[in-house]
């Protein structure tokens, strides 16, 4: 007797089957009604934008008329409508809404689902399953947002018809679907990782979905000509401009009220032109999504199988950093006339430092051992290994090695890319930034040992204070003080003033940083020793 398709699905992915079984008929009906009603209202709205014939003697001006002046009539007396433009606007708004609904809504549902699993205690029960983590979590990735998939699938016929009526080729529309599906996989994978590490945080679903919405909105701004443009590759909305451009319509009429994103038409990565056409953009985005998703799933598998372990091991962090530096340096190879060249290559260096700062803060969180892990190590090594070796065998040693790896890339870039007068100040700013990274690593470890309740929130708060507060305070002081350059040296953004500050002052600040770092390390050694003594008892 042949098994039904639902039974075969259950054999292939039990978690996906479990998520589908939780969907009720009423949920399916609601999703269907929302999709069809939304499409109907959208069509009604665009119908209302067409010119209305109240009085044939009164001339009418409308953007959907074939001429830019008064609307013309045919032999029967009806207005001659520019239907291609009408369908192009409908296609554009459907595309934008589809991206927002699938990405923002899907991320919210996944993080919320994992938080519920953690609260009900079923997440640990699922971990007992013999199925590998990628099977279990891919079931969640496909099953949890399944109602959103239904809403999107029901809108495909109208979306396809609108695109073809706007004279957009079927191949380009399929490229948009591929880009969107790849984006869903990446953002959903990130949501699963975020949900696993923040399941105890009540506002995590709103935080995750809000961050995705903010990211999608900010990628509507024009490209910068710096490595910030890397972030544009993560937005599926980037391809919409290529689709509308294929209609050969006046983009001024398309952009009205729809906020089309400016795309990567002339952006290079090393010598590769990313946005020459839609195919190049899709291939670049797919490669970018694939590589980033690979590292995300490495962290997901460790977090799911061993919640008490770090998200990445030492070797994975080294390889991840090599990948990261290779990618971002490629975006500093700029061709053509772009804003970055107005200030020279030092402009790119500032973004390199900022991206590395964010990356190392993420690595500190990924490599931060739990309190239980430190206790077990202290118990195991108590009396056998000097306490200072135990300190440096933790997150500090991994961060130091990662800093050394980053130095190979950044110092080489400084020596070969910057002017002679810019090299020494750039090296000073790099050293100061490294000191702050080590300081954050030590403070993170101290918070983990001392604070039992929600240490992640405290660590996030410290990172926010170190990253955001100096910019706000110093900019406010700049309004009331003519010179606050020395204060910038006490922030990760020392590159602002290293070129205009004497080397004596810079070295004085560096020595002060090393002194503070040494005191914090001594405090960390004391805390680990205390934990080791209590654990041995």
């Amino acid at each position: 007797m042949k098994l039904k398709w639902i039974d075969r699905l259950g054999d292939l992915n039990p978690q996906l089957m479990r998520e589908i079984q939780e969907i009720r008929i009423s949920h399916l009906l609601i999703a269907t009604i929302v999709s069809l009603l939304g499409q109907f209202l959208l069509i009604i709205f665009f119908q209302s934008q067409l010119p209305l014939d109240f009085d044939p003697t009164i001339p009418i001006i409308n953007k959907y008329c074939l001429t830019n002046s008064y609307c013309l009539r045919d032999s029967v007396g009806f207005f001659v409508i520019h239907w291609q433009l009408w369908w192009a606007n409908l296609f554009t708004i459907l595309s934008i809404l589809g991206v927002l609904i699938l990405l923002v809504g899907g991320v919210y549902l996944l993080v919320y689902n994992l938080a519920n699993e953690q609260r009900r205690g079923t997440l640990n029960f699922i971990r007992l399953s013999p199925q590998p983590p990628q099977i279990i979590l891919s079931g969640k990735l496909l099953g949890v947002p399944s109602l959103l998939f239904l809403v999107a699938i029901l809108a495909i016929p109208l979306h396809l018809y609108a695109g073809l009526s706007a004279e957009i080729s079927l191949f380009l529309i399929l490229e948009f679907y591929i880009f969107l599906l790849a984006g869903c996989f990446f953002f959903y994978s990130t949501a699963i990782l975020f949900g696993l590490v923040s399941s105890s945080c009540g506002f995590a679903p709103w935080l995750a979905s809000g961050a995705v919405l903010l990211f999608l909105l900010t990628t509507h701004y024009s490209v910068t000509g710096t490595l910030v443009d890397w972030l544009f590759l993560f937005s599926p909305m980037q391809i919409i401009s290529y689709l509308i451009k294929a209609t050969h319509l006046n983009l001024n009429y398309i952009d009205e009220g729809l906020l089309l994103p400016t795309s990567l038409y002339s952006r290079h990565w090393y010598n590769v032109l990313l946005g020459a056409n839609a195919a190049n953009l899709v291939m670049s985005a797919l490669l970018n999504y694939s590589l980033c998703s690979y590292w995300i799933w490495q962290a997901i598998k460790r977090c799911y199988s061993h919640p008490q372990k770090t998200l990445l091991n030492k070797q994975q962090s080294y390889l991840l950093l090599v990948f990261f530096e290779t990618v971002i340096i490629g975006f500093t190879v700029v061709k053509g006339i772009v804003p970055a060249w107005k200030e020279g290559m030092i402009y790119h260096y500032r973004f390199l430092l900022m991206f590395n700062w964010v990356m190392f803060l993420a690595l500190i969180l990924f490599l931060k051992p739990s309190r239980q892990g430190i206790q077990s190590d202290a118990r195991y090594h108590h009396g056998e290994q000097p306490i200072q070796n135990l300190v440096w065998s933790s997150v500090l040693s991994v961060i130091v090695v990662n800093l050394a790896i980053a130095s190979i890339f950044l110092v080489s870039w400084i020596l070969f890319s910057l002017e002679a007068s810019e090299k020494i100040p750039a090296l000073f700013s790099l050293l100061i930034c490294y000191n702050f990274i080590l300081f954050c690593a030590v403070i993170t470890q101290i918070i983990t040992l001392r604070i039992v309740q929600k240490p992640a929130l405290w660590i996030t708060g410290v990172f926010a204070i170190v990253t955001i507060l100096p910019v706000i305070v110093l900019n406010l002081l700049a309004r009331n003080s003519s010179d606050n350059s020395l204060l910038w040296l006490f922030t990760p953004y020392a590159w602002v003033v290293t070129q205009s500050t004497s080397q004596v002052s810079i070295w004085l600040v560096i020595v002060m940083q090393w002194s503070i770092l040494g005191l914090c390390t001594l405090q960390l050694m004391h805390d680990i020793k205390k934990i080791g003594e209590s654990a041995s008892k």
Side-chain angles (χ1 to χ4, degrees), residues 389-406:
N389 292 344
L390 185 59
V391 172
W392 286 99
S393 65
S394 62
V395 65
L396 281 180
S397 63
V398 188
I399 294 298
V400 168
V401 175
N402 276 294
L403 288 174
I405 294 173

Side-chain angles (χ1 to χ4, degrees), residues 12-25:
L12 291 174
N13 196 316
Q15 184 60 36
L16 177 58
M17 181 64 190
R18 174 174 173 256
E19 298 295 340
I20 292 177
Q21 286 178 337
E22 291 184 359
I23 300 176
R24 300 176 182 178
I25 299 297

Side-chain angles (χ1 to χ4, degrees), residues 200-211:
S200 60
C201 182
F203 58 89
W206 294 103
L207 179 63
S209 57

Side-chain angles (χ1 to χ4, degrees), residues 25 54 104 168 205 271 331 357 368 370 409 412 500:
I25 299 297
F54 292 108
V104 179
I168 301 172
N271 289 322
F331 283 94
W357 168 254
K368 176 185 69 67
S370 63
F409 290 90
S412 301
S500 58

Side-chain angles (χ1 to χ4, degrees), residues 102 105-106 109-110 139-150 188:
L102 285 176
L109 290 176
L110 282 166
K140 281 196 168 295
L141 188 147
L142 295 172
V144 172
S146 55
L147 291 177
L148 290 180
F149 295 153
L150 176 61
Y188 291 177

Side-chain angles (χ1 to χ4, degrees), residues 151-359:
V151 172
I153 290 172
L154 292 175
I156 286 178
L158 177 61
H159 186 262
L160 269 176
Y161 186 81
L164 295 175
S165 300
E167 300 182 13
I168 301 172
S169 69
L170 180 61
F171 182 73
L172 284 176
I173 299 175
L174 293 178
E175 286 184 337
F176 169 75
Y177 292 154
I178 293 172
F179 202 149
L180 181 55
L181 288 176
C184 286
F185 179 77
F186 169 77
F187 282 98
Y188 291 177
S189 300
T190 308
I192 288 176
L193 177 61
F194 183 76
L196 290 174
V197 300
S198 64
S199 54
S200 60
C201 182
F203 58 89
W206 294 103
L207 179 63
S209 57
V212 174
L213 178 60
L214 180 62
F215 169 77
L216 293 175
L217 294 178
T218 52
T219 51
H220 278 76
Y221 291 97
S222 59
V223 293
T224 64
T226 67
L227 62 91
V228 176
D229 297 339
W230 176 38
L231 302 179
F232 284 70
L233 277 179
F234 291 96
S235 174
M237 289 188 184
Q238 285 299 311
I239 196 174
I240 299 177
S241 297
Y242 292 83
L243 273 62
I244 299 304
K245 189 177 180 181
T247 63
H248 304 291
L249 294 170
N250 189 342
L251 295 183
N252 293 328
Y253 294 104
I254 300 294
D255 287 349
E256 185 179 350
L258 296 181
L259 299 176
L260 278 180
T262 56
S263 199
L264 306 169
Y265 293 111
S266 60
R267 195 65 179 93
H268 285 81
W269 182 74
Y270 293 105
N271 289 322
V272 179
L273 186 58
L274 298 179
N277 50 55
N280 276 23
L281 180 67
V282 172
M283 291 177 62
S284 302
L286 291 180
L287 180 61
N288 188 51
Y289 280 141
S290 301
L291 294 174
C292 295
S293 298
Y294 168 79
W295 290 110
I296 290 173
W297 276 93
Q298 296 302 309
I300 287 175
K301 288 189 287 186
R302 281 179 62 89
C303 181
Y304 177 81
S305 302
H306 307 285
Q308 301 302 327
K309 288 188 176 181
T310 58
L311 294 180
L312 296 174
N313 59 34
K314 297 179 181 180
Q315 291 75 19
Q316 288 174 333
S317 70
Y318 304 151
L319 293 175
L320 173 60
L321 189 65
V322 171
F323 159 74
F324 175 78
E325 298 293 348
T326 304
V327 170
I328 64 174
I329 287 178
F331 283 94
T332 64
V333 181
V334 181
K335 293 185 177 182
I337 301 175
V338 290
W341 288 106
K342 293 180 179 180
E343 297 186 50
M345 293 302 291
I346 193 66
Y347 188 78
H348 293 288
Y349 176 68
R350 296 168 185 173
F351 284 99
L352 278 175
L353 274 188
M354 286 191 286
F355 270 66
N356 273 274
W357 168 254
V358 175
M359 181 62 184

